[in-house]
Amino acid sequence: MASRTDASPTTDTMEPLARRFAATRRLSLDLVATLSDADASAQSMPDTSPAKWHLAHTTWFFETFVLRDHVQGYRLHDERYPYLFNSYYEAEGPRHARPQRGLLTRPSLDEICIWRAHVDTAVQSALPDLSPAAQALVELGIHHEQQHQELLLTDLKHLFAQNPLGPAVWKDSAIASEVAQFPAVSPPTPDRTGAMQWIKGAEGVVSVGHAGDAFAFDCEVPQFSALLTPHALASRPVSNGEWQQFIADGGYHTSSLWLSDGWAWVQAENVNAPAYWDRDRQFTLSGWREIDPAAPVTHISLYEADAFASWAGARLPTEIEWESAAAAFDPASGQQLDAAGPVWPAAADDDTGLQQIFGSVWEWTGSAYRPYPGFRAAPGAVGEYNGKFMSGQFVLRGGSCATPRGHLRASYRNFFYPHQRWQFTGVRLAKDL
C-alpha cells in the first residue's frame, strides 16, 4: 500500500523511526527463528508465499525504493535479486511468477538473512541524511513489512496444515501437535460468551477516512462525509460456538442463505466448515487444538460471513458503520501481535459494550474495496500498491491476533477476494433499526 505523499517524518521523529525500523526488522527474523530452510522455502498455494520470500521481498523494498533511489553510490547486494523478489510492481520490470515462488530453493534462508543484515546496516547509516521523501519511504517500508509479518504467519499456517503430522511453528503445552494420526480431543468446553448485544451506532453525517499528518495508506484518504442511517452493531464478533449452531442447523446446505456466487463456491469446493476445522478441533500455528466455543470464529470467507448473517436475521456492517464505531477505541488495544509465539484468537474478556473492535480477527464488511471520492494513486512505482487492486475485493476492518501492534488505525482498510479465507478473517453482525 502506498503512503500519503505529505506524511513525511520530521527531524524530531528520526530517532523513533530508526528504533521502529530496527524493531520491525528484528521481529521478522524472530518469526522464522524455529524454521528450517525447507520450512521457509515451501509454498502451499498460489495465494501464499514462502516465509523466505517474505523476508526477501521486504528487504528488496528497502533496498530498491530507499537505498537505490535515494543513497548516492549505493550498489545492489546482488543484481539478480530484484527479478526474484519484486512482487507486482510493473514499473520495476519483469519478475519471477508468483505461483512459482516455492521453486526458489536458492538463495538459502541464511543468504537471505545476510542480505537483510547488509540492507539494515545501510538504511540505518543513511537515515540521518535522507531527504523527507526518502524518510517517508522508510516509514512506508516499516508498515509494508508489518503487513508481510501477518502474511508470513498466515502463509506458514496454511503450509503446515497440509502436513499430516500437524507440525507446530511454536509448541504449546496445551495443544496436542506433531502426531502421525489425528489425536483424540476432549469434549468442547462450555461456551463462555455472553449473549450477543446490539449497540446502536451513530446516525447522520459522519467523517470517513484518515485526516492529519500521521502515516496512513493512500486508500484511506481523502477524508469525506457520508450519511449513516439508523443501525446497530453486534457487541462482539461471531463465536465458534455460534458457528457450530449454524453448521448443525444445515447452514452449509441451505441455498437460500447464500449469495449465488457463494453457493457455487460452496458446492464446487465442498465447503462445510471454516478453514482448518476438523470436527471438534482446529489447526493452529501451534498444531491441532480443541475448538474454543467462546473464541471468535476465524478463517471464513465473505460468502460464509454473508450466509451466517442471513441465517441470523442480520447483515454485514458497512465499512463506514464500522469505522464510525471504532473511532472511539484505541487501535493499539486488543489481541494483536507483540512477539513471536503461539497465535490464535481468544475470547473477549467481558460482554459489555463493543468488544474486540481491534485485534483478534479481521471483520468482513459488506463494502466493496473501491477508491474514496478524490482518491489519487501516488506517483511512481509505489503508486501500484493500492489503486490497481480496487476491483472485485471486499473491505475488512479491525486487524487480527497476527497484526503487529501499532500497525492499525480506525481508518485502516484491508481487502481480499470474497472466497479467500486463509487469513484470520471473522465477522461482526449489523442490522438496520
Side-chain angles (χ1 to χ4, degrees):
M1 297 181 180
S3 67
R4 296 178 59 198
T5 55
D6 61 345
S8 301
T10 65
T11 301
D12 292 339
T13 64
M14 280 301 300
E15 186 177 353
L17 184 65
R19 286 201 304 267
R20 289 191 296 110
F21 172 79
T24 301
R25 298 289 283 172
R26 183 168 57 251
L27 177 58
S28 295
L29 294 180
D30 290 345
L31 294 177
V32 303
T34 66
L35 303 183
S36 68
D37 191 85
D39 291 333
S41 299
Q43 180 181 21
S44 53
M45 66 170 175
D47 282 341
T48 66
S49 297
K52 183 173 68 178
W53 189 92
H54 288 292
L55 297 179
H57 169 69
T58 51
T59 302
W60 168 85
F61 188 97
F62 283 112
E63 185 175 57
T64 300
F65 297 124
V66 177
L67 298 176
R68 184 199 68 183
D69 292 350
H70 293 275
V71 177
Q72 187 174 6
Y74 180 81
R75 297 181 61 183
L76 296 182
H77 180 75
D78 191 311
E79 296 282 349
R80 301 169 298 174
Y81 285 1
Y83 178 83
L84 298 181
F85 302 120
N86 175 9
S87 53
Y88 49 69
Y89 294 88
E90 298 288 347
E92 288 297 321
R95 57 207 171 275
H96 188 73
R98 177 173 181 167
Q100 298 177 4
R101 290 172 183 170
L103 301 179
L104 298 175
T105 57
R106 305 289 179 89
S108 68
L109 177 58
D110 285 345
E111 290 172 310
I112 295 300
C113 290
I114 291 171
W115 178 31
R116 283 180 66 90
H118 171 84
V119 169
D120 289 355
T121 298
V123 171
Q124 293 282 22
S125 297
L127 262 177
D129 299 318
L130 288 178
S131 67
Q135 293 170 22
L137 287 168
V138 174
E139 181 77 50
L140 172 60
I142 291 170
H143 288 268
H144 169 254
E145 182 143 354
Q146 288 175 321
Q147 290 180 314
H148 277 273
Q149 287 165 348
E150 181 162 10
L151 288 167
L152 187 157
L153 291 177
T154 52
D155 292 359
L156 273 178
K157 182 173 182 176
H158 190 272
L159 172 66
F160 277 33
Q162 314 311 308
N163 191 326
L165 298 179
V169 177
W170 294 288
K171 297 289 186 66
D172 187 286
S173 59
I175 299 173
S177 62
E178 296 196 274
V179 291
Q181 300 297 323
F182 287 161
V185 290
S186 304
T189 56
D191 191 339
R192 305 181 307 282
T193 51
M196 187 180 290
Q197 306 295 317
W198 290 103
I199 310 298
K200 191 174 185 296
E203 296 179 33
V205 177
V206 296
S207 295
V208 183
H210 182 80
D213 295 331
F215 177 87
F217 292 118
D218 63 354
C219 64
E220 301 171 51
V221 297
Q223 192 174 74
F224 67 100
S225 296
L227 178 66
L228 286 180
T229 56
H231 69 280
L233 295 179
S235 55
R236 55 169 172 76
V238 172
S239 70
N240 287 323
E242 289 160 340
W243 205 272
Q244 288 170 324
Q245 295 173 30
F246 171 69
I247 294 173
D249 198 40
Y252 281 94
H253 305 288
T254 306
S255 61
S256 60
L257 298 175
W258 295 78
L259 297 168
S260 178
D261 287 350
W263 184 244
W265 172 77
V266 164
Q267 299 295 103
E269 302 296 328
N270 192 31
V271 177
N272 53 33
Y276 306 118
W277 278 31
D278 179 75
R279 298 182 293 277
D280 293 329
R281 65 185 196 142
Q282 63 187 142
F283 189 76
T284 76
L285 285 162
S286 295
W288 288 100
R289 66 172 298 171
E290 175 185 317
I291 292 173
D292 179 359
V297 69
T298 190
H299 299 298
I300 58 170
S301 66
L302 172 91
Y303 296 140
E304 291 166 284
D306 188 84
F308 183 95
S310 295
W311 174 78
R315 61 170 173 82
L316 300 184
T318 69
E319 65 169 322
I320 296 172
E321 291 169 342
W322 190 97
E323 183 174 326
S324 177
F329 292 83
D330 178 4
S333 63
Q335 183 193 13
Q336 300 179 44
L337 183 69
D338 293 303
V343 175
W344 61 81
D349 293 333
D350 60 62
D351 57 3
T352 58
L354 286 171
Q355 300 295 308
Q356 297 176 301
I357 284 287
F358 289 103
S360 297
V361 293
W362 286 101
E363 299 177 10
W364 283 108
T365 74
S367 298
Y369 180 57
R370 293 289 294 151
Y372 286 165
F375 169 82
R376 294 291 183 272
V382 293
E384 297 185 46
Y385 209 139
N386 270 323
K388 69 182 186 180
F389 297 112
M390 292 175 169
S391 174
Q393 305 196 64
F394 280 77
V395 174
L396 301 96
R397 294 296 195 119
S400 81
C401 54
T403 305
R405 196 177 304 278
H407 181 62
L408 296 171
R409 295 164 296 283
S411 60
Y412 194 108
R413 307 172 80 197
N414 200 354
F415 51 93
F416 285 104
Y417 290 103
H419 69 280
Q420 292 176 317
R421 59 181 191 160
W422 90 105
Q423 295 298 306
F424 285 99
T425 51
V427 59
R428 182 186 304 268
L429 301 179
K431 68 177 181 179
D432 298 312
L433 296 179

